[in-house]
Amino acid sequence: MLTSFSKQKKKSLHYQKVREWARICLMFAAKLRSWAYPLIYAFYLLISLVQVDGANVDMTILTGAVAKGAVCLDGSPPAYHFSPGSGSGVNNWLVHMEGGGWCRGTQECLARRDTHRGSSKYMKPLSFSGILGNEKSSNPDFYNWNRVKIRYCDGSSFTGDIETVDLATNLHYRGARVWLAVIEDLLAKGMNKAEKCLYLSAGRCTVAAGGLASILHCDKFRDLLPASTKVKCLSDAGYFINAKDVSGNDSIRTFYQDVVTTHGSAKNLPSSCTSRISPNLCFFPQYVVPEMRTPLFILNAAYDAWQIKNILAPSAADPFNTWDECKLNIKRCSSSQLVTMQDFRSEFLSAIPRQGKSSSTGMFIDSCYAHCQSGSQDTWLAAGSPVIEKIPIAKAVGDWYFDRDIVQKIDCPYPCNPSCHNREDDSVQD
């Protein structure tokens, strides 16, 4: 399977060299505050979009969902992108939840409302890549499935549901209704006859709120499909842990509490969790996953770049900006900061399910400084993709889904893995 794309390998190596050159130029231009920075940045973005499988995938706008109150933050209808399956994959479905962070109060939600993160009015066609790609050589297990990307426009990982709308702000907290409206539409389009289904979050993203959504909605999604359908879930960069920041405060716990309160999320979080502990804690996968009934694959970096930047060392916990360089590039971390990050890795590993002989829980926990690794071709399956024990992410996920092997791979500590890209200093992921 891994030898069938020698031409792609050469192309990928060339692409990576050009992209790396552009990245280095971008770093120096930013550091020197060069006038050339905007031009280099534009070139970098262009290069970053070059290696994409397939053409743009048109967007479906669910105008009929508005009558059900299933709307984005601004009241516009929800949307998704759909590429139909073919051949052996015509009855198989891959449903991806887009990520994009959260808003925890009126001001933050207002800032999202008039963007593609809060309104379908600002969304554009997308190209599918990585696990959503349509080339057998670069996505051998899922390339010809029905592939769907559900757009994210609510700021609550599709959990909100408040009936009242503040006329002064026109903010609608209806993420749970959006999720259900889209899934029902897909069921009507043939997913109700699915033989195989993988429900996931993937993609190049700033924050994998979709990765969390794939965990929070996994069992509910399973229950909406026929009992005969083989359903599994995958969370890419969505395993956010309940950890203290470098100042000793519970900043991420407070943040999630505000999200749950703002969006009225409690009633839409897994009851297997809310029946035992506070709903505010049920935004953390470590309290949800042990009670899940549906098989789950956890794809995550042990040094998840977003978690390092926002859970471990958020700006509020670092008033003198001593972590700025480290958060930009792990290679710039001091020895004491690396010790703190190794401790964070240990805490992360203690929060994930224990390894065992069961094939229901799969995992690929690499030691890259990264966030989201399945939606970009260069990390999913290409020359130089991250590997653990010589196995790339695409093969690990495929082996797990099709029960070809028990996949529970945990990498050795940083900096042991030379296949890691460690490109978070790019600071330009969309």
Side-chain angles (χ1 to χ4, degrees), residues 248-275:
N249 291 322
D250 295 309
S251 55
I252 188 62
R253 189 187 303 181
T254 301
F255 179 86
Y256 280 160
Q257 179 177 342
D258 291 343
V259 171
V260 170
T261 301
T262 296
H263 293 266
S265 300
K267 62 191 174 202
N268 293 309
L269 296 172
S271 59
S272 59
C273 179
T274 57
S275 63

Side-chain angles (χ1 to χ4, degrees), residues 16-32 34 37 40-41 43-44 47 329 331-332 421-423 425-428:
Q16 289 181 41
K17 288 178 181 178
V18 175
R19 187 175 185 270
E20 184 69 11
W21 174 82
R23 181 188 67 81
I24 293 171
C25 291
L26 185 65
M27 286 171 52
F28 278 107
K31 198 167 186 178
L32 297 174
S34 169
Y37 180 84
I40 300 173
Y41 180 78
F43 176 69
Y44 182 92
I47 290 296
N329 186 337
K331 295 178 182 179
R332 301 177 194 167
H421 292 189
N422 297 327
R423 289 176 176 163
D425 54 355
D426 295 347
S427 300
V428 294

Side-chain angles (χ1 to χ4, degrees), residues 91-103:
N91 291 320
N92 302 333
W93 289 72
L94 192 152
V95 180
H96 161 260
M97 310 288 289
E98 184 181 34
W102 309 271
C103 57

Side-chain angles (χ1 to χ4, degrees), residues 267-342:
K267 62 191 174 202
N268 293 309
L269 296 172
S271 59
S272 59
C273 179
T274 57
S275 63
R276 296 181 292 108
I277 58 177
S278 168
N280 302 326
L281 292 176
C282 294
F283 242 62
F284 292 105
Q286 66 200 82
Y287 306 120
V288 175
V289 170
E291 303 299 325
M292 284 177 58
R293 295 176 280 109
T294 310
L296 173 70
F297 192 97
I298 302 168
L299 169 59
N300 229 99
Y303 310 90
D304 182 275
W306 190 91
Q307 295 197 52
I308 297 298
K309 294 174 181 178
N310 297 278
I311 294 181
L312 179 63
S315 298
D318 182 32
F320 299 106
N321 303 320
T322 57
W323 277 81
D324 281 5
E325 288 296 305
C326 178
K327 290 190 293 185
L328 190 64
N329 186 337
I330 193 171
K331 295 178 182 179
R332 301 177 194 167
C333 297
S334 67
S335 57
S336 62
Q337 287 170 334
L338 282 175
V339 169
T340 301
M341 291 179 70
Q342 299 293 14

Side-chain angles (χ1 to χ4, degrees), residues 136-294:
K136 185 175 183 179
S137 61
S138 54
N139 188 27
D141 285 315
F142 308 106
Y143 74 98
N144 64 348
W145 286 27
N146 295 281
R147 290 160 293 123
V148 180
K149 183 163 188 170
I150 302 175
R151 299 305 298 268
Y152 181 50
C153 63
D154 70 280
S156 72
S157 288
F158 299 92
T159 62
D161 191 357
I162 293 180
E163 183 67 32
T164 304
V165 178
D166 185 346
L167 297 179
T169 62
N170 193 41
L171 285 171
H172 299 70
Y173 301 113
R174 306 282 181 77
R177 298 192 199 185
V178 166
W179 180 85
L180 184 59
V182 174
I183 297 302
E184 288 180 342
D185 195 64
L186 295 174
L187 288 168
K189 286 185 175 179
M191 195 170 71
N192 62 333
K193 297 181 177 65
E195 296 175 1
K196 297 181 178 68
C197 196
L198 179 59
Y199 175 67
L200 73 150
S201 157
R204 297 179 64 82
C205 51
T206 305
V207 190
L212 177 59
S214 65
I215 292 175
L216 298 180
H217 293 285
C218 179
D219 285 341
K220 189 184 301 183
F221 180 77
R222 157 70 276 183
D223 291 342
L224 291 173
L225 287 160
S228 59
T229 306
K230 179 175 183 174
V231 180
K232 294 188 177 184
C233 300
L234 183 153
S235 172
D236 180 3
Y239 209 96
F240 304 97
I241 65 170
N242 182 16
K244 293 184 181 296
D245 61 36
V246 291
S247 69
N249 291 322
D250 295 309
S251 55
I252 188 62
R253 189 187 303 181
T254 301
F255 179 86
Y256 280 160
Q257 179 177 342
D258 291 343
V259 171
V260 170
T261 301
T262 296
H263 293 266
S265 300
K267 62 191 174 202
N268 293 309
L269 296 172
S271 59
S272 59
C273 179
T274 57
S275 63
R276 296 181 292 108
I277 58 177
S278 168
N280 302 326
L281 292 176
C282 294
F283 242 62
F284 292 105
Q286 66 200 82
Y287 306 120
V288 175
V289 170
E291 303 299 325
M292 284 177 58
R293 295 176 280 109
T294 310

